[in-house]
Amino acid sequence: MIHSGTSRVVLGVGGGIAAYKACEVLRQLTESGHSVQVVPTEAALRFVGAATFEALSGQPVHTGVFDDVHEVPHVRIGQEADLVLVAPATANLLAKAAHGLADDLLTNTLLTARCPVMMVPAMHTEMWEHAATRQNVATLRERGVVVTEPASGRLTGKDTGKGRLADPAEIVDLARLLLARPDALPRDMAGLRVVVSAGGTREALDPVRYLGNRSSGKQGYALARTAAQRGAQVTLVAAATVGLPEPAGVELVRVGTALELRDAMHVVSPGADVVVMAAAVADFRPVSQAEYKIKKTDRDPDPVALTRNPDVLAELVGVRSPGQVIVGFAAETGDGGADVLEHARAKLKRKGCDLLVVNAVGEGKAFETEDNAGWLLSSDGSERPIALGSKAHMASDIWDAVVTLTHN
């Protein structure tokens, strides 16, 4: 199993209105066992006071290089860090980092850090799209800095658009990924168009009840999120998910039933380089839906007649364009006739996809959990285990295999 352990994280905070969200990033990091030192800019402290950061981190907060000079903080902090995370990273901070300026404690720390550095932008759309910002981002990425894609949504005032800070849970998820695997977010998927399905479909019995499954959608969301941060153009077709933040830099299409998911996938998949069917599609649906809520009565209820849903993965394989890579998922339990891997091998052959991700499911496994493990089966007959770790870590392993296929 991959453990996060106690890592030393520097949380840089830029001077934008999104600085208040850094408090939630800080809380989640400290609660997961990491030692976090907050290094804000002077402008950041206009939005969130030093006392708040000190209370949440349990460490003193400074902005200048002349505080505690005998400890040489402008060098030591960066040297000792396992990860430097800047959230929010304003246009000004991105420009300073790209040009090597060092006029405060945070920019000095960025120059001395030899660990992974992740900068999470937040600014108005016009600033994000400006040629100067785009060049600064490109420069930082060329140097190995992870500059994430911003989210789209409500900005300050009445403005909306791309430039919103990613959700704190998503930021922490990516930070954990980099702590476990520093090379997990290369820009090696730039130019690829990717479609991912996620979540469990729901088949209505009446206006209140439905047939469904335990899929949370977390693995599909992790796949979409990491693909976008590796440079891909991503469309996420999401069935039922509860409380998951919309991944930054991803086009989201929401569906409910298996037939809705099928229709959406046939619309967005043509022309895609990679299609990943991570959604848990219900095998059956009721033949008919009651117009009104089925009432509880003294007599036994009428049996529910079911009909089979279409095999969306098999359909996509049947109509795929030349060179398109298709990845399927198999949730297996094993039974008296065969174990998990035997069932999965048969499914890979039956479906005809290029890769099949196999999860052994059951109580506390795969569904509704934060971590995942399994096997990756390939159509060429190769198989390899995926160690237990975060779902983002599994997503990275899957994309590594996909990138190898797309580059062949």
Side-chain angles (χ1 to χ4, degrees):
M1 178 176 178
I2 300 165
H3 295 278
S4 59
T6 301
S7 300
R8 293 164 296 187
V9 179
V10 173
L11 176 59
V13 184
I17 184 60
Y20 77 93
K21 295 183 180 179
C23 297
E24 179 61 19
V25 173
L26 172 58
R27 186 189 65 79
Q28 291 189 30
L29 285 171
T30 55
E31 286 186 355
S32 59
H34 301 294
S35 172
V36 185
Q37 181 163 2
V38 182
V39 182
T41 64
E42 285 285 352
L45 295 182
R46 302 284 294 271
F47 294 96
V48 180
T52 299
F53 291 132
E54 290 176 342
L56 291 172
S57 69
Q59 299 193 47
V61 169
H62 301 295
T63 62
V65 297
F66 295 105
D67 297 312
D68 298 326
V69 174
H70 65 288
E71 295 182 356
V72 200
H74 71 290
V75 174
R76 177 185 54 79
I77 293 174
Q79 287 178 334
E80 295 180 354
D82 296 305
L83 172 70
V84 175
L85 166 64
V86 182
T90 61
N92 185 53
L93 259 177
L94 291 172
K96 286 184 175 182
H99 291 85
L101 300 182
D103 59 357
D104 63 6
L105 188 56
L106 177 54
T107 49
N108 273 269
T109 297
L110 289 171
L111 284 181
T112 58
R114 294 299 179 265
C115 59
V117 175
M118 183 170 83
M119 305 188 76
V120 187
M123 65 197 72
H124 265 66
T125 306
E126 294 82 358
M127 299 174 74
W128 173 251
E129 294 177 347
H130 195 281
T133 303
R134 304 310 299 157
Q135 184 59 53
N136 291 333
V137 169
T139 297
L140 290 167
R141 285 173 172 167
E142 288 171 3
R143 294 176 186 161
V145 175
V146 175
V147 182
T148 65
E149 291 294 318
S152 296
R154 183 70 179 268
L155 304 172
T156 54
K158 298 180 180 180
D159 294 337
T160 60
K162 191 168 186 177
R164 181 183 176 91
L165 187 75
D167 187 89
E170 179 172 350
I171 295 171
V172 172
D173 195 39
L174 293 174
R176 288 181 60 214
L177 176 61
L178 288 175
L179 284 166
R181 184 183 153 188
D183 63 345
L185 294 174
R187 298 290 292 183
D188 57 352
M189 296 181 69
L192 293 181
R193 182 166 169 257
V194 171
V195 173
V196 178
S197 69
T201 61
R202 293 179 174 180
E203 315 300 325
L205 289 166
D206 61 21
V208 176
R209 305 174 182 88
Y210 61 85
L211 295 178
N213 55 64
R214 294 174 57 189
S215 174
S216 65
K218 290 178 181 179
Q219 186 63 71
Y221 271 56
L223 283 158
R225 178 183 305 120
T226 52
Q229 302 305 342
R230 287 173 73 153
Q233 177 187 343
V234 182
T235 300
L236 174 62
V237 178
T241 58
V242 179
L244 296 184
E246 183 175 333
V250 170
E251 178 186 1
L252 183 63
V253 178
R254 293 197 179 277
V255 296
T257 67
L259 294 181
E260 290 172 352
L261 184 141
R262 173 203 196 191
D263 291 344
M265 291 299 290
H266 279 292
V267 169
V268 300
S269 294
D273 299 291
V274 185
V275 177
V276 182
M277 274 294 297
V281 182
D283 292 324
F284 302 94
R285 68 182 186 276
V287 171
S288 61
Q289 176 184 343
E291 184 178 359
Y292 304 104
K293 178 183 176 182
I294 301 170
K295 303 297 184 182
K296 186 183 296 183
T297 63
D298 293 332
R299 64 182 179 83
D300 291 335
D302 295 330
V304 176
L306 301 177
T307 186
R308 191 178 298 275
N309 273 322
D311 189 329
V312 182
L313 176 58
E315 287 184 357
L316 293 173
V317 170
V319 300
R320 68 172 165 184
S321 55
Q324 187 179 70
V325 175
I326 297 185
V327 182
F329 269 68
E332 298 289 350
T333 60
D335 52 37
D339 63 19
V340 169
L341 278 176
E342 288 172 326
H343 281 304
R345 293 178 188 122
K347 184 171 186 176
L348 175 62
K349 184 177 181 180
R350 187 171 66 251
K351 301 290 187 180
C353 50
D354 300 286
L355 297 170
L356 187 70
V357 183
V358 186
N359 296 132
V361 297
E363 192 63 35
K365 295 180 180 179
F367 288 148
E368 302 172 321
T369 64
E370 297 302 320
D371 297 326
N372 208 354
W375 298 266
L376 187 61
L377 278 55
S378 175
S379 58
D380 65 8
S382 62
E383 301 177 4
R384 69 178 184 85
I386 300 177
L388 181 63
S390 72
K391 292 187 174 180
H393 199 286
M394 173 175 274
S396 295
D397 285 351
I398 294 167
W399 290 129
D400 288 346
V402 168
V403 167
T404 299
L405 291 177
T406 60
H407 288 178
N408 286 342

